[in-house]
Amino acid sequence: MTEHFRTPRFAPAERLAQIAISASAAMTDKASELKAQGHRIISLSSGEPDFPTPLHVVEAAHQAMLAGDTKYPPQTGKPALLKSIQAKFLRDNGLDYALNEILTGNGGKQLIFDALLAGCNPGDEVLVPAPGWITYADIVHLAGAVPVRIDCPERLGFRLDPEALEAAITPRTRWLILNFPNNPTGAMCSEEDLHAIAQIALRHPGLWILTDDIYEHLIYEGTFKTIAQVEPALKARTITINGLSKAYAMTGWRVGYAAGPAEAIAAMNTVQLQATGGICTAAQAAAVAALDGPQEYLAERREIYRARRDLVVSALRGIEGVRCNVPDGAFYVFPNIEALIGRTTAAGTVIRSDADFVLALMAEAQISSVQGSAYGMEGYFRISYAADTEVLREAMDRLARFCDGLR
């Protein structure tokens, strides 16, 4: 007699219960789906430059592949790339790292993952300024630690308040994550802000800092500083993470890098060894060309982003019920739409939340954006202005008509 067995259902690990699907990725995917169906969607949900990767960078990868540079790479990164990163830190940040204090990874996200899995024990607390990239909190959960939110309100320009930081520190606090210029607000901490934060960190010797400087070259006001540069005494317990995705328009190449104390970098490398191994050899050759090659175009592109920022902020400030802070960097605006919550769209949809707002905006105005609640602050939404200027003009016209139609 044949026995029939029921195929067991897959049961996800409990650690996944607190992990959210990326709202920006979900909205970008939805926009792509609607575009494929013939809809004229304007996608402003993705944090991705619209500029091409520079040709000399592409050519460097091409030549590397032609030369047979297609074998397994060294785990931490090829010597040429490590030296380029070493030179970059010294040139741009005044930070001197030995080669064994540098690690490359498949984008900055992997290095954040490496650092938190290598540096957190169950129950440790990780301070995460909000609004902020939701992935930080998700990786903290995966590491078995506890994300602790620190509000960075609009009235402070979305910057981290040192007093709020001090109040959030407990005996369980292990890490502070910094991301300025910030995703989603574009806010940037000044050198004075970082100095005040550093003084608090110095009073808590068990506190490590992970700083995500991915938007370093995309600032419009002031001068970029990273915290180990502002306070050298913190260099011994700071992991500085950066990459080529945003400034160099190399999102698909997946090249990130981190620098910090040798023992911390070695621990991160142990995590990465079991996750992915070293990064693509062709991408490493491209990264060397990007870091060692001409840098002038970074300023040229930054000025284009500045003009786009000014266009979008001006348009948003002309819409009744919308309030918009002027971002210092990155390529996002984070408008306040609290005054629009509770209204009804021209198609009859009641806007009960910022999530309702962005869904209705997609459905009725065919603009994709991301709700502020996805970044830990309700009543806002994020727009990426990494798009062609004429596309942004049309998007702002559509947005204004959509908001004017609310009743």
Side-chain angles (χ1 to χ4, degrees):
M1 182 175 181
T2 303
E3 293 187 19
H4 295 278
F5 295 95
R6 179 179 297 175
T7 302
R9 295 181 61 190
F10 178 76
E14 293 178 2
R15 71 175 69 89
L16 297 183
Q18 295 176 295
I19 307 303
I21 300 299
S22 167
S24 59
M27 292 300 287
T28 300
D29 289 348
K30 181 63 175 176
S32 297
E33 178 185 326
L34 290 173
K35 283 181 181 179
Q37 295 172 7
H39 297 278
R40 294 181 59 247
I41 300 295
I42 296 178
S43 183
L44 304 180
S45 52
S46 178
E48 182 169 43
D50 61 312
F51 294 111
T53 301
L55 286 177
H56 73 280
V57 175
V58 176
E59 183 60 23
H62 181 208
Q63 292 302 321
M65 288 186 284
L66 290 176
D69 189 6
T70 57
K71 306 300 183 182
Y72 281 132
Q75 171 69 23
T76 59
K78 300 191 75 172
L81 179 53
L82 295 178
K83 289 176 182 177
S84 294
I85 295 166
Q86 182 185 51
K88 177 267 175 244
F89 274 118
L90 196 59
R91 176 185 72 225
D92 295 345
N93 310 115
L95 293 172
D96 189 7
Y97 289 103
L99 294 182
N100 69 343
E101 294 179 313
I102 298 170
L103 176 65
T104 63
N106 293 279
K109 181 188 288 189
Q110 178 170 38
L111 293 160
I112 296 165
F113 183 89
D114 293 343
L116 293 176
L117 261 71
C120 287
N121 288 311
D124 284 347
E125 293 177 351
V126 180
L127 305 180
V128 184
W133 190 34
I134 189 62
T135 296
Y136 298 133
D138 286 342
I139 294 175
V140 171
H141 283 305
L142 286 172
V146 180
V148 176
R149 167 192 174 123
I150 306 177
D151 285 331
C152 300
E154 182 184 357
R155 62 182 173 79
L156 297 179
F158 300 112
R159 297 192 305 276
L160 177 59
D161 179 14
E163 291 185 6
L165 169 60
E166 182 85 75
I169 296 173
T170 75
R172 298 290 300 176
T173 304
R174 182 71 187 276
W175 289 89
L176 165 65
I177 296 177
L178 298 176
N179 171 227
F180 296 99
N182 170 266
N183 174 14
T185 66
M188 187 176 78
C189 284
S190 67
E191 185 172 356
E192 292 73 22
D193 293 332
L194 289 175
H195 181 74
I197 292 167
Q199 299 315 299
I200 293 170
L202 289 173
R203 292 198 293 271
H204 297 273
L207 177 65
W208 279 68
I209 297 174
L210 186 155
T211 180
D212 179 357
D213 295 344
I214 195 69
Y215 298 101
E216 171 186 9
H217 293 297
L218 295 173
I219 60 169
Y220 314 110
E221 318 298 339
T223 303
F224 178 82
K225 299 284 185 181
T226 193
I227 195 160
Q229 178 182 16
V230 170
E231 179 46 76
L234 285 176
K235 183 169 178 274
R237 49 189 170 101
T238 297
I239 303 296
T240 301
I241 292 176
N242 211 320
L244 292 105
S245 292
K246 309 299 184 178
Y248 295 91
M250 294 176 65
T251 49
W253 296 80
R254 309 313 303 140
V255 180
Y257 53 88
E263 64 274 15
I265 292 297
M268 290 170 60
N269 190 35
T270 298
V271 174
Q272 187 163 296
L273 173 66
Q274 302 305 329
T276 62
I279 65 175
C280 170
T281 52
Q284 291 196 50
V288 170
L291 291 172
D292 291 353
Q295 305 293 304
E296 293 80 11
Y297 67 93
L298 297 180
E300 295 169 3
R301 291 181 175 185
R302 183 170 62 244
E303 290 310 305
I304 294 171
Y305 281 128
R306 182 198 298 273
R308 294 171 175 179
R309 176 200 67 171
D310 294 345
L311 182 159
V312 170
V313 169
S314 177
L316 288 166
R317 288 183 164 184
I319 299 173
E320 183 181 353
V322 176
R323 190 169 71 236
C324 187
N325 187 67
V326 180
D328 301 310
F331 38 60
Y332 311 109
V333 288
F334 199 60
N336 183 313
I337 53 167
E338 291 173 328
L340 304 182
I341 305 300
R343 297 192 187 183
T344 302
T345 72
T349 300
V350 179
I351 305 297
R352 296 186 174 87
S353 66
D354 53 13
D356 287 342
F357 179 89
V358 300
L359 289 172
L361 187 64
M362 173 87 84
E364 299 181 33
Q366 299 194 322
I367 300 170
S368 71
S369 57
V370 188
Q371 65 270 27
S373 52
Y375 302 98
M377 188 166 284
E378 297 181 359
Y380 296 79
F381 74 119
R382 190 193 79 170
I383 289 174
S384 167
Y385 52 86
D388 179 79
T389 300
E390 290 309 309
V391 170
L392 291 172
R393 291 186 194 279
E394 182 178 351
M396 293 303 101
D397 288 343
R398 291 189 192 183
L399 177 62
R401 290 195 297 271
F402 174 80
C403 292
D404 289 345
L406 297 175
R407 61 184 188 275

